[in-house]
Each structure stands twice: as C-alpha cells, then as structure tokens.
Amino acid sequence: MKAQKPRINRLFLWTLVATLPLAIVLLNRSAVSDVQPTPAAEPSPTPVLLAPAVERFESLAAIEANPTVKRRPLEIQHWNTSNGARVYFVAAPELPMVDLRLVFDAGSARDGDQAGLAMMTSGLIGEGTRQLDAGQISEGFEGLGAEFGASAYRDMGIVSLRSLSASAQLQPALALFTQVVSEPNFPEDALARTKNQAIASLEYQQQRAGELANLRFFSDLYGDHPYATPSRGTQESLEAMTQADLQGFFQRYYVARNLVISLVGDLDRRAAEAIVEQVSLSLASGEPAPALPEPPSLEGPIQTHIDHNSQQTQILIGGLGVAKGDPDYAALYVGNEILGGGGFGSRLMEEVREKRGLTYGVYSHFAPMRERGPFLVSLKTRADQTELALQVVNETLSGFLAEGPTEQELKTAKQNILGSFPQTTASNSSIVGQLGSIGFYDLPLDQLEQFLSEIESVSLEQIRAAFARHLDPQKLITLTVGQAAPEQAD
C-alpha cells in the first residue's frame, strides 16, 4: 500500500521558522517543570543553549520525536458529528501540530468476492478528484508541509492527515484533505498502474516462504469467513477490478455512519468540533457496515506442508485467539509475553534458540480483531532441523498450557510490559492510533488505564485459566513451507 512520504520544501521551512519561537517556549516550559528546584542555588548566569532550531525541527516528525516532550495523561473527549461519525479527541497543546485520522469499517473483510478491493480503493484515494489530479494533490500537501496517508487492513480502511496547527497551514490542508477524501474519482490510468504494481507484488510474494505461509494460514484458520480473504487480492481478482468496483466500495463504506474520527493536536474543543464537522459533512451519511460473522472453530488439528525451494523452513503454529475487548486479553497478553512475546528471555526463545540453536528468533502473539483474531507462533529453521524444531515448540507450548508461568516469570513480564507501556501514548501519532482503536472497537474511554490496572493485578491462576479457555492444543494449525514435508507430529 502506497502512502505519501513526508516532504519538505521551502515554504515548509519558512513555516517552521515562523512557528519555532512558540514551540521552543513550550518545550522549555515542559523541561523546566520537570526539574526539582534547589533553594540554595543561584540562578545560572549562563542560559541553557538549545540546538539550532533547524536541526531540532527539520520536519513534523522531528518535532514530535523531541525528547523534551513528556508523556501526558489522556483526557479523551467523545461526541458524534451531526451526520453520525463518532469522534475521539485529545487536546495536545504541547506541540504546534494536528493529527487527524479517519477510520472506516472498510478493510479487506468487506471485499466480498473481489479480493483486494479494499486495498485498491484505499490505495487510489489521493490519486485524483473531480478538480485535481494526483500531481496537484501531492504538490498541495507538500506546499503546506502536510502529510497525507491512506491504508487498509483486515478490519479498517484509514485515511490520515498531519499538519502544523497554525491556521495559515491547517485550514488549506483541511480543505484539500476534505476534497481528496470525499471526492476521489479513481482515475483509469492510476487504476491500471496500481493493478500492475499489485500483480507484480503478488508474483514476488510467491517467492517468499513467509508470505505463502501467511496466506495459507489465514485460509486454513478462517475457511469461508471474510478474514480468509487475501487482503492483497489475487491476480484474477485484480485483473477483473474496474473503476466502478472501487466507486461502489467507496460509496458503500466511506460514509459518516461507518466512520470513527480520531483527532489529536493543538486545538480546543470548539476548533476540534469545527474540523470534524467539516470532514464528516463532506461525506454521505450512509449506513454502518453489517456485523461480521463469528469465525468457525477448528474441529481438530490441521497439518499442512507447502513445498518451496528454500534453505530455511518457515513454520507457523496457531489457532483462533480472541476478539478486541475480550475480558481475558490482559491475562493472555502477560502470558504470551512469557511464552514467546517478550523476545529474549521468553520460554520459546530459551528452548528453541538458546538451548538448541534451532533458529535466530521465535515469537508468539495474539492479534485481536473485530472478531476473533489469530494466535500464532512463528519461526524459521534450517530445513534438516524442521522436525526437531516442531517438536521443541510443541513441547514448550504444551508445557506452558499445562503448568502456566512461574512467579518470577510473571514478575519479570509485568515489569517489562509496564515499563514499556508509556511509549504507547508518548507521541501524538501513537495517541491518535490509540483513539482510533478505542473508537473502532467500541472500547471504554479509559481502556488504557483499565488495561494497565489489569496487567498489574493479573495472577498466575488467571493466566492459566485464560489460556485454557482460548487455546486448545488439539485444535491448532501446524504449517510448514520449505523443501520437504516433515513427519506428522503425534
């Protein structure tokens, strides 16, 4: 999926020069407030010297990444626009910038029998409107120092804007963004070019064991469920796709009542309301997408091998996990950190890599989605070690399901998770992502605080019980992609 990359031009640099004094004052204020005063100390006669401004603020990303900006608690405000879009807003006056994200229920789960339709629709937003071509759109955002992006996943189609908050930049950026989002014309030449690129990408994926494994894993896990649809399409589906198909998908799913708007930036509530009304009213009101069906449970183990000419064997072992908002997710998250999510120090890494040298890395994770997402263990190993690697992974997983973690493992996992968690809200871009997820999955506004509290209080017994409820070792998929089929495990 192609997204617009940050661009800097002369106008943008002039814009930064104009806004730097305010940014520097705010950042210095933040830094000073964190220093404990020393009563006996005299004021320093030497002023604190900042790095040259042009070095500190070469781009919007550089502004946000500045280490003097501290994490702040989230005060989420929520309301609906007049035509039905749900809004989640956090005021962030620390930096002179605005992040706007539109999250539509328009992922590949909505492709129907046209695999790749969500991806193609998202990919061509920004390629033209009734008044502007792709070059004019790109130059427009570039000239304002703004960033535009569009992408699609299994659940979501996302369109985003990042701009400086000064009215001289923000208002024209919003006007351009609104036109691009509400009036895409999916030009034929761009469609043909994107289809060719997508088909070439599919041919390349056929050479990659990991890609083959992922496609087959989702097919085996979800069967006829929409999550089994290959998000990037197939050669046949892409070749048959027309401009009318994209327009139909856009008109059905890119509508206000199928939209969550997340907004973070140097705005007050009144300004935020004006922005989301402008964007929302540019879209048809429409209807929410229908609920997805529940994925079918596996009736027993599935073991599959795909012959592939590679020195390494790609191994995937997994099954159905949980949906977003599942009450067991915190316990599963901590347990998985111990099993294989924590990298070095996890049980799988210790048994498969450290003790036996069978792989460079082995990982496990839960991927909750609107409906039950997958639980997955993944690794690569030398072809002649495939059988042994499978045996060690299965024994480690079975042992964890039977016995659960130890007290020391639980203590270490909590420390690691809680220590890294502030990063999830350390930047405006991470916050706008969290808001989009909270809104899209109908999670409570204090979801992050609740999750931290649950992490702190989870017990060994809760982890064992959660894994027992959600992972049945007799209903797992074992998939290998490599030179020779391994012997079937007992």
Side-chain angles (χ1 to χ4, degrees), residues 371-404:
E371 295 298 330
R372 295 178 66 187
F375 163 77
L376 196 58
V377 177
S378 63
L379 71 151
K380 284 184 177 179
T381 190
R382 214 171 62 208
D384 62 345
Q385 297 176 329
T386 301
E387 184 178 352
L388 178 58
L390 281 171
Q391 177 185 338
V392 175
V393 170
N394 283 323
E395 289 177 352
T396 304
L397 179 58
S398 296
F400 187 83
L401 292 173
E403 302 170 5

PDB file of all heavy atoms in Angstrom, residues 371-404:
ATOM      1  N   GLU A 371     -13.579  -9.526  15.146  1.00  0.00           N
ATOM      2  CA  GLU A 371     -13.908 -10.882  15.563  1.00  0.00           C
ATOM      3  C   GLU A 371     -12.615 -11.566  15.992  1.00  0.00           C
ATOM      4  O   GLU A 371     -11.564 -10.955  15.958  1.00  0.00           O
ATOM      5  CB  GLU A 371     -14.611 -11.634  14.422  1.00  0.00           C
ATOM      6  CG  GLU A 371     -15.957 -11.058  14.035  1.00  0.00           C
ATOM      7  CD  GLU A 371     -16.961 -11.118  15.176  1.00  0.00           C
ATOM      8  OE1 GLU A 371     -16.873 -12.043  16.010  1.00  0.00           O
ATOM      9  OE2 GLU A 371     -17.839 -10.234  15.243  1.00  0.00           O
ATOM     10  N   ARG A 372     -12.705 -12.824  16.384  1.00  0.00           N
ATOM     11  CA  ARG A 372     -11.538 -13.497  16.960  1.00  0.00           C
ATOM     12  C   ARG A 372     -10.359 -13.491  15.986  1.00  0.00           C
ATOM     13  O   ARG A 372     -10.439 -14.028  14.882  1.00  0.00           O
ATOM     14  CB  ARG A 372     -11.902 -14.925  17.351  1.00  0.00           C
ATOM     15  CG  ARG A 372     -12.923 -15.018  18.469  1.00  0.00           C
ATOM     16  CD  ARG A 372     -13.279 -16.462  18.769  1.00  0.00           C
ATOM     17  NE  ARG A 372     -12.140 -17.186  19.308  1.00  0.00           N
ATOM     18  CZ  ARG A 372     -12.147 -18.506  19.537  1.00  0.00           C
ATOM     19  NH1 ARG A 372     -13.240 -19.205  19.244  1.00  0.00           N
ATOM     20  NH2 ARG A 372     -11.088 -19.099  20.032  1.00  0.00           N
ATOM     21  N   GLY A 373      -9.283 -12.878  16.412  1.00  0.00           N
ATOM     22  CA  GLY A 373      -8.066 -12.857  15.611  1.00  0.00           C
ATOM     23  C   GLY A 373      -7.210 -14.070  15.912  1.00  0.00           C
ATOM     24  O   GLY A 373      -7.542 -14.892  16.766  1.00  0.00           O
ATOM     25  N   PRO A 374      -6.092 -14.211  15.218  1.00  0.00           N
ATOM     26  CA  PRO A 374      -5.285 -15.421  15.389  1.00  0.00           C
ATOM     27  C   PRO A 374      -4.351 -15.355  16.597  1.00  0.00           C
ATOM     28  O   PRO A 374      -3.954 -14.280  17.035  1.00  0.00           O
ATOM     29  CB  PRO A 374      -4.468 -15.467  14.096  1.00  0.00           C
ATOM     30  CG  PRO A 374      -4.319 -14.035  13.699  1.00  0.00           C
ATOM     31  CD  PRO A 374      -5.600 -13.352  14.135  1.00  0.00           C
ATOM     32  N   PHE A 375      -4.023 -16.532  17.123  1.00  0.00           N
ATOM     33  CA  PHE A 375      -2.842 -16.712  17.968  1.00  0.00           C
ATOM     34  C   PHE A 375      -1.818 -17.430  17.112  1.00  0.00           C
ATOM     35  O   PHE A 375      -2.159 -18.385  16.394  1.00  0.00           O
ATOM     36  CB  PHE A 375      -3.170 -17.556  19.203  1.00  0.00           C
ATOM     37  CG  PHE A 375      -1.932 -18.101  19.869  1.00  0.00           C
ATOM     38  CD1 PHE A 375      -1.143 -17.266  20.662  1.00  0.00           C
ATOM     39  CD2 PHE A 375      -1.536 -19.417  19.683  1.00  0.00           C
ATOM     40  CE1 PHE A 375       0.017 -17.757  21.265  1.00  0.00           C
ATOM     41  CE2 PHE A 375      -0.384 -19.913  20.275  1.00  0.00           C
ATOM     42  CZ  PHE A 375       0.393 -19.085  21.068  1.00  0.00           C
ATOM     43  N   LEU A 376      -0.572 -17.001  17.175  1.00  0.00           N
ATOM     44  CA  LEU A 376       0.394 -17.501  16.208  1.00  0.00           C
ATOM     45  C   LEU A 376       1.785 -17.604  16.828  1.00  0.00           C
ATOM     46  O   LEU A 376       2.230 -16.703  17.532  1.00  0.00           O
ATOM     47  CB  LEU A 376       0.455 -16.536  15.018  1.00  0.00           C
ATOM     48  CG  LEU A 376       1.100 -17.000  13.721  1.00  0.00           C
ATOM     49  CD1 LEU A 376       0.397 -18.242  13.182  1.00  0.00           C
ATOM     50  CD2 LEU A 376       1.038 -15.881  12.688  1.00  0.00           C
ATOM     51  N   VAL A 377       2.450 -18.743  16.572  1.00  0.00           N
ATOM     52  CA  VAL A 377       3.876 -18.920  16.863  1.00  0.00           C
ATOM     53  C   VAL A 377       4.585 -19.006  15.518  1.00  0.00           C
ATOM     54  O   VAL A 377       4.153 -19.766  14.637  1.00  0.00           O
ATOM     55  CB  VAL A 377       4.145 -20.214  17.668  1.00  0.00           C
ATOM     56  CG1 VAL A 377       5.649 -20.393  17.879  1.00  0.00           C
ATOM     57  CG2 VAL A 377       3.410 -20.175  18.999  1.00  0.00           C
ATOM     58  N   SER A 378       5.650 -18.237  15.333  1.00  0.00           N
ATOM     59  CA  SER A 378       6.343 -18.247  14.048  1.00  0.00           C
ATOM     60  C   SER A 378       7.851 -18.326  14.249  1.00  0.00           C
ATOM     61  O   SER A 378       8.399 -17.769  15.201  1.00  0.00           O
ATOM     62  CB  SER A 378       5.995 -16.993  13.236  1.00  0.00           C
ATOM     63  OG  SER A 378       6.427 -15.825  13.905  1.00  0.00           O
ATOM     64  N   LEU A 379       8.493 -19.040  13.331  1.00  0.00           N
ATOM     65  CA  LEU A 379       9.954 -19.148  13.325  1.00  0.00           C
ATOM     66  C   LEU A 379      10.422 -19.696  11.987  1.00  0.00           C
ATOM     67  O   LEU A 379       9.631 -20.244  11.212  1.00  0.00           O
ATOM     68  CB  LEU A 379      10.438 -20.068  14.448  1.00  0.00           C
ATOM     69  CG  LEU A 379      10.162 -21.575  14.301  1.00  0.00           C
ATOM     70  CD1 LEU A 379      11.241 -22.378  15.035  1.00  0.00           C
ATOM     71  CD2 LEU A 379       8.790 -21.916  14.816  1.00  0.00           C
ATOM     72  N   LYS A 380      11.689 -19.532  11.732  1.00  0.00           N
ATOM     73  CA  LYS A 380      12.345 -20.176  10.598  1.00  0.00           C
ATOM     74  C   LYS A 380      13.477 -21.037  11.146  1.00  0.00           C
ATOM     75  O   LYS A 380      14.122 -20.673  12.128  1.00  0.00           O
ATOM     76  CB  LYS A 380      12.936 -19.122   9.643  1.00  0.00           C
ATOM     77  CG  LYS A 380      11.919 -18.423   8.775  1.00  0.00           C
ATOM     78  CD  LYS A 380      12.629 -17.482   7.803  1.00  0.00           C
ATOM     79  CE  LYS A 380      11.639 -16.820   6.868  1.00  0.00           C
ATOM     80  NZ  LYS A 380      12.331 -15.874   5.931  1.00  0.00           N
ATOM     81  N   THR A 381      13.689 -22.158  10.465  1.00  0.00           N
ATOM     82  CA  THR A 381      14.782 -23.027  10.870  1.00  0.00           C
ATOM     83  C   THR A 381      15.374 -23.694   9.635  1.00  0.00           C
ATOM     84  O   THR A 381      14.757 -23.697   8.562  1.00  0.00           O
ATOM     85  CB  THR A 381      14.291 -24.093  11.872  1.00  0.00           C
ATOM     86  OG1 THR A 381      15.413 -24.775  12.429  1.00  0.00           O
ATOM     87  CG2 THR A 381      13.383 -25.103  11.184  1.00  0.00           C
ATOM     88  N   ARG A 382      16.577 -24.247   9.796  1.00  0.00           N
ATOM     89  CA  ARG A 382      17.200 -24.957   8.685  1.00  0.00           C
ATOM     90  C   ARG A 382      16.343 -26.156   8.311  1.00  0.00           C
ATOM     91  O   ARG A 382      15.749 -26.794   9.174  1.00  0.00           O
ATOM     92  CB  ARG A 382      18.594 -25.410   9.110  1.00  0.00           C
ATOM     93  CG  ARG A 382      19.631 -25.410   8.006  1.00  0.00           C
ATOM     94  CD  ARG A 382      20.991 -25.665   8.565  1.00  0.00           C
ATOM     95  NE  ARG A 382      21.070 -26.965   9.206  1.00  0.00           N
ATOM     96  CZ  ARG A 382      21.900 -27.254  10.204  1.00  0.00           C
ATOM     97  NH1 ARG A 382      22.709 -26.336  10.679  1.00  0.00           N
ATOM     98  NH2 ARG A 382      21.931 -28.464  10.738  1.00  0.00           N
ATOM     99  N   ALA A 383      16.289 -26.464   7.014  1.00  0.00           N
ATOM    100  CA  ALA A 383      15.350 -27.487   6.540  1.00  0.00           C
ATOM    101  C   ALA A 383      15.526 -28.812   7.274  1.00  0.00           C
ATOM    102  O   ALA A 383      14.550 -29.463   7.646  1.00  0.00           O
ATOM    103  CB  ALA A 383      15.516 -27.679   5.029  1.00  0.00           C
ATOM    104  N   ASP A 384      16.794 -29.234   7.512  1.00  0.00           N
ATOM    105  CA  ASP A 384      17.006 -30.536   8.147  1.00  0.00           C
ATOM    106  C   ASP A 384      16.730 -30.512   9.652  1.00  0.00           C
ATOM    107  O   ASP A 384      16.824 -31.546  10.311  1.00  0.00           O
ATOM    108  CB  ASP A 384      18.429 -31.029   7.878  1.00  0.00           C
ATOM    109  CG  ASP A 384      19.481 -30.105   8.457  1.00  0.00           C
ATOM    110  OD1 ASP A 384      19.142 -28.955   8.809  1.00  0.00           O
ATOM    111  OD2 ASP A 384      20.650 -30.533   8.580  1.00  0.00           O
ATOM    112  N   GLN A 385      16.398 -29.333  10.205  1.00  0.00           N
ATOM    113  CA  GLN A 385      16.082 -29.240  11.628  1.00  0.00           C
ATOM    114  C   GLN A 385      14.582 -29.029  11.870  1.00  0.00           C
ATOM    115  O   GLN A 385      14.161 -28.834  13.004  1.00  0.00           O
ATOM    116  CB  GLN A 385      16.849 -28.069  12.255  1.00  0.00           C
ATOM    117  CG  GLN A 385      18.359 -28.226  12.209  1.00  0.00           C
ATOM    118  CD  GLN A 385      19.068 -27.005  12.761  1.00  0.00           C
ATOM    119  OE1 GLN A 385      18.568 -25.890  12.660  1.00  0.00           O
ATOM    120  NE2 GLN A 385      20.231 -27.223  13.336  1.00  0.00           N
ATOM    121  N   THR A 386      13.806 -29.093  10.808  1.00  0.00           N
ATOM    122  CA  THR A 386      12.387 -28.757  10.926  1.00  0.00           C
ATOM    123  C   THR A 386      11.669 -29.640  11.930  1.00  0.00           C
ATOM    124  O   THR A 386      10.918 -29.167  12.791  1.00  0.00           O
ATOM    125  CB  THR A 386      11.713 -28.879   9.547  1.00  0.00           C
ATOM    126  OG1 THR A 386      12.349 -27.991   8.632  1.00  0.00           O
ATOM    127  CG2 THR A 386      10.228 -28.541   9.636  1.00  0.00           C
ATOM    128  N   GLU A 387      11.884 -30.942  11.826  1.00  0.00           N
ATOM    129  CA  GLU A 387      11.169 -31.867  12.705  1.00  0.00           C
ATOM    130  C   GLU A 387      11.503 -31.598  14.167  1.00  0.00           C
ATOM    131  O   GLU A 387      10.621 -31.574  15.032  1.00  0.00           O
ATOM    132  CB  GLU A 387      11.526 -33.308  12.334  1.00  0.00           C
ATOM    133  CG  GLU A 387      10.744 -34.329  13.128  1.00  0.00           C
ATOM    134  CD  GLU A 387      11.087 -35.759  12.708  1.00  0.00           C
ATOM    135  OE1 GLU A 387      11.801 -35.933  11.714  1.00  0.00           O
ATOM    136  OE2 GLU A 387      10.625 -36.674  13.406  1.00  0.00           O
ATOM    137  N   LEU A 388      12.786 -31.412  14.459  1.00  0.00           N
ATOM    138  CA  LEU A 388      13.182 -31.151  15.839  1.00  0.00           C
ATOM    139  C   LEU A 388      12.614 -29.823  16.340  1.00  0.00           C
ATOM    140  O   LEU A 388      12.143 -29.733  17.480  1.00  0.00           O
ATOM    141  CB  LEU A 388      14.714 -31.148  15.948  1.00  0.00           C
ATOM    142  CG  LEU A 388      15.285 -30.840  17.344  1.00  0.00           C
ATOM    143  CD1 LEU A 388      14.761 -31.850  18.370  1.00  0.00           C
ATOM    144  CD2 LEU A 388      16.820 -30.848  17.297  1.00  0.00           C
ATOM    145  N   ALA A 389      12.645 -28.798  15.488  1.00  0.00           N
ATOM    146  CA  ALA A 389      12.108 -27.505  15.899  1.00  0.00           C
ATOM    147  C   ALA A 389      10.616 -27.608  16.220  1.00  0.00           C
ATOM    148  O   ALA A 389      10.127 -27.059  17.212  1.00  0.00           O
ATOM    149  CB  ALA A 389      12.344 -26.468  14.801  1.00  0.00           C
ATOM    150  N   LEU A 390       9.876 -28.322  15.379  1.00  0.00           N
ATOM    151  CA  LEU A 390       8.452 -28.513  15.647  1.00  0.00           C
ATOM    152  C   LEU A 390       8.230 -29.215  16.985  1.00  0.00           C
ATOM    153  O   LEU A 390       7.348 -28.849  17.768  1.00  0.00           O
ATOM    154  CB  LEU A 390       7.824 -29.338  14.517  1.00  0.00           C
ATOM    155  CG  LEU A 390       7.496 -28.589  13.231  1.00  0.00           C
ATOM    156  CD1 LEU A 390       7.100 -29.581  12.135  1.00  0.00           C
ATOM    157  CD2 LEU A 390       6.362 -27.602  13.461  1.00  0.00           C
ATOM    158  N   GLN A 391       9.044 -30.227  17.237  1.00  0.00           N
ATOM    159  CA  GLN A 391       8.892 -30.975  18.484  1.00  0.00           C
ATOM    160  C   GLN A 391       9.138 -30.080  19.694  1.00  0.00           C
ATOM    161  O   GLN A 391       8.365 -30.094  20.658  1.00  0.00           O
ATOM    162  CB  GLN A 391       9.885 -32.148  18.491  1.00  0.00           C
ATOM    163  CG  GLN A 391       9.870 -32.964  19.775  1.00  0.00           C
ATOM    164  CD  GLN A 391      10.942 -34.042  19.788  1.00  0.00           C
ATOM    165  OE1 GLN A 391      11.433 -34.473  18.735  1.00  0.00           O
ATOM    166  NE2 GLN A 391      11.305 -34.494  20.977  1.00  0.00           N
ATOM    167  N   VAL A 392      10.188 -29.264  19.638  1.00  0.00           N
ATOM    168  CA  VAL A 392      10.522 -28.408  20.779  1.00  0.00           C
ATOM    169  C   VAL A 392       9.442 -27.341  20.989  1.00  0.00           C
ATOM    170  O   VAL A 392       9.031 -27.064  22.125  1.00  0.00           O
ATOM    171  CB  VAL A 392      11.906 -27.767  20.574  1.00  0.00           C
ATOM    172  CG1 VAL A 392      12.203 -26.775  21.705  1.00  0.00           C
ATOM    173  CG2 VAL A 392      12.983 -28.828  20.503  1.00  0.00           C
ATOM    174  N   VAL A 393       8.967 -26.742  19.902  1.00  0.00           N
ATOM    175  CA  VAL A 393       7.922 -25.720  20.038  1.00  0.00           C
ATOM    176  C   VAL A 393       6.659 -26.327  20.643  1.00  0.00           C
ATOM    177  O   VAL A 393       6.056 -25.763  21.570  1.00  0.00           O
ATOM    178  CB  VAL A 393       7.608 -25.074  18.674  1.00  0.00           C
ATOM    179  CG1 VAL A 393       6.357 -24.200  18.784  1.00  0.00           C
ATOM    180  CG2 VAL A 393       8.783 -24.244  18.196  1.00  0.00           C
ATOM    181  N   ASN A 394       6.253 -27.481  20.134  1.00  0.00           N
ATOM    182  CA  ASN A 394       5.026 -28.099  20.648  1.00  0.00           C
ATOM    183  C   ASN A 394       5.167 -28.509  22.111  1.00  0.00           C
ATOM    184  O   ASN A 394       4.221 -28.366  22.904  1.00  0.00           O
ATOM    185  CB  ASN A 394       4.666 -29.310  19.786  1.00  0.00           C
ATOM    186  CG  ASN A 394       4.036 -28.902  18.458  1.00  0.00           C
ATOM    187  OD1 ASN A 394       3.276 -27.938  18.404  1.00  0.00           O
ATOM    188  ND2 ASN A 394       4.364 -29.604  17.391  1.00  0.00           N
ATOM    189  N   GLU A 395       6.333 -29.034  22.494  1.00  0.00           N
ATOM    190  CA  GLU A 395       6.545 -29.413  23.896  1.00  0.00           C
ATOM    191  C   GLU A 395       6.529 -28.181  24.796  1.00  0.00           C
ATOM    192  O   GLU A 395       5.971 -28.211  25.900  1.00  0.00           O
ATOM    193  CB  GLU A 395       7.868 -30.160  24.035  1.00  0.00           C
ATOM    194  CG  GLU A 395       7.852 -31.561  23.442  1.00  0.00           C
ATOM    195  CD  GLU A 395       9.194 -32.254  23.516  1.00  0.00           C
ATOM    196  OE1 GLU A 395      10.192 -31.589  23.890  1.00  0.00           O
ATOM    197  OE2 GLU A 395       9.258 -33.451  23.189  1.00  0.00           O
ATOM    198  N   THR A 396       7.138 -27.092  24.328  1.00  0.00           N
ATOM    199  CA  THR A 396       7.167 -25.862  25.131  1.00  0.00           C
ATOM    200  C   THR A 396       5.766 -25.296  25.279  1.00  0.00           C
ATOM    201  O   THR A 396       5.361 -24.879  26.377  1.00  0.00           O
ATOM    202  CB  THR A 396       8.083 -24.828  24.464  1.00  0.00           C
ATOM    203  OG1 THR A 396       9.373 -25.397  24.273  1.00  0.00           O
ATOM    204  CG2 THR A 396       8.200 -23.577  25.322  1.00  0.00           C
ATOM    205  N   LEU A 397       5.010 -25.290  24.186  1.00  0.00           N
ATOM    206  CA  LEU A 397       3.650 -24.770  24.241  1.00  0.00           C
ATOM    207  C   LEU A 397       2.766 -25.640  25.134  1.00  0.00           C
ATOM    208  O   LEU A 397       2.010 -25.131  25.977  1.00  0.00           O
ATOM    209  CB  LEU A 397       3.070 -24.698  22.823  1.00  0.00           C
ATOM    210  CG  LEU A 397       1.627 -24.187  22.684  1.00  0.00           C
ATOM    211  CD1 LEU A 397       1.486 -22.792  23.274  1.00  0.00           C
ATOM    212  CD2 LEU A 397       1.214 -24.176  21.207  1.00  0.00           C
ATOM    213  N   SER A 398       2.881 -26.958  24.994  1.00  0.00           N
ATOM    214  CA  SER A 398       2.077 -27.862  25.821  1.00  0.00           C
ATOM    215  C   SER A 398       2.423 -27.706  27.296  1.00  0.00           C
ATOM    216  O   SER A 398       1.539 -27.712  28.165  1.00  0.00           O
ATOM    217  CB  SER A 398       2.301 -29.318  25.380  1.00  0.00           C
ATOM    218  OG  SER A 398       1.853 -29.515  24.066  1.00  0.00           O
ATOM    219  N   GLY A 399       3.714 -27.587  27.595  1.00  0.00           N
ATOM    220  CA  GLY A 399       4.130 -27.404  28.982  1.00  0.00           C
ATOM    221  C   GLY A 399       3.586 -26.125  29.573  1.00  0.00           C
ATOM    222  O   GLY A 399       3.139 -26.093  30.728  1.00  0.00           O
ATOM    223  N   PHE A 400       3.575 -25.057  28.766  1.00  0.00           N
ATOM    224  CA  PHE A 400       3.049 -23.781  29.264  1.00  0.00           C
ATOM    225  C   PHE A 400       1.550 -23.873  29.508  1.00  0.00           C
ATOM    226  O   PHE A 400       1.044 -23.371  30.521  1.00  0.00           O
ATOM    227  CB  PHE A 400       3.348 -22.675  28.251  1.00  0.00           C
ATOM    228  CG  PHE A 400       2.999 -21.306  28.744  1.00  0.00           C
ATOM    229  CD1 PHE A 400       3.872 -20.593  29.553  1.00  0.00           C
ATOM    230  CD2 PHE A 400       1.791 -20.730  28.407  1.00  0.00           C
ATOM    231  CE1 PHE A 400       3.551 -19.339  30.019  1.00  0.00           C
ATOM    232  CE2 PHE A 400       1.453 -19.467  28.863  1.00  0.00           C
ATOM    233  CZ  PHE A 400       2.340 -18.768  29.675  1.00  0.00           C
ATOM    234  N   LEU A 401       0.831 -24.522  28.585  1.00  0.00           N
ATOM    235  CA  LEU A 401      -0.615 -24.652  28.771  1.00  0.00           C
ATOM    236  C   LEU A 401      -0.938 -25.509  29.990  1.00  0.00           C
ATOM    237  O   LEU A 401      -1.929 -25.267  30.692  1.00  0.00           O
ATOM    238  CB  LEU A 401      -1.244 -25.272  27.518  1.00  0.00           C
ATOM    239  CG  LEU A 401      -1.228 -24.400  26.263  1.00  0.00           C
ATOM    240  CD1 LEU A 401      -1.728 -25.181  25.049  1.00  0.00           C
ATOM    241  CD2 LEU A 401      -2.080 -23.153  26.463  1.00  0.00           C
ATOM    242  N   ALA A 402      -0.104 -26.514  30.264  1.00  0.00           N
ATOM    243  CA  ALA A 402      -0.382 -27.415  31.385  1.00  0.00           C
ATOM    244  C   ALA A 402      -0.011 -26.806  32.725  1.00  0.00           C
ATOM    245  O   ALA A 402      -0.731 -26.973  33.717  1.00  0.00           O
ATOM    246  CB  ALA A 402       0.371 -28.732  31.174  1.00  0.00           C
ATOM    247  N   GLU A 403       1.102 -26.103  32.770  1.00  0.00           N
ATOM    248  CA  GLU A 403       1.634 -25.654  34.062  1.00  0.00           C
ATOM    249  C   GLU A 403       1.540 -24.153  34.275  1.00  0.00           C
ATOM    250  O   GLU A 403       1.571 -23.689  35.416  1.00  0.00           O
ATOM    251  CB  GLU A 403       3.107 -26.082  34.172  1.00  0.00           C
ATOM    252  CG  GLU A 403       3.302 -27.598  34.044  1.00  0.00           C
ATOM    253  CD  GLU A 403       4.763 -27.969  33.914  1.00  0.00           C
ATOM    254  OE1 GLU A 403       5.607 -27.063  34.021  1.00  0.00           O
ATOM    255  OE2 GLU A 403       5.037 -29.159  33.684  1.00  0.00           O
ATOM    256  N   GLY A 404       1.482 -23.382  33.195  1.00  0.00           N
ATOM    257  CA  GLY A 404       1.450 -21.932  33.334  1.00  0.00           C
ATOM    258  C   GLY A 404       2.815 -21.378  33.691  1.00  0.00           C
ATOM    259  O   GLY A 404       3.802 -22.112  33.797  1.00  0.00           O
TER     260      GLY A 404
END
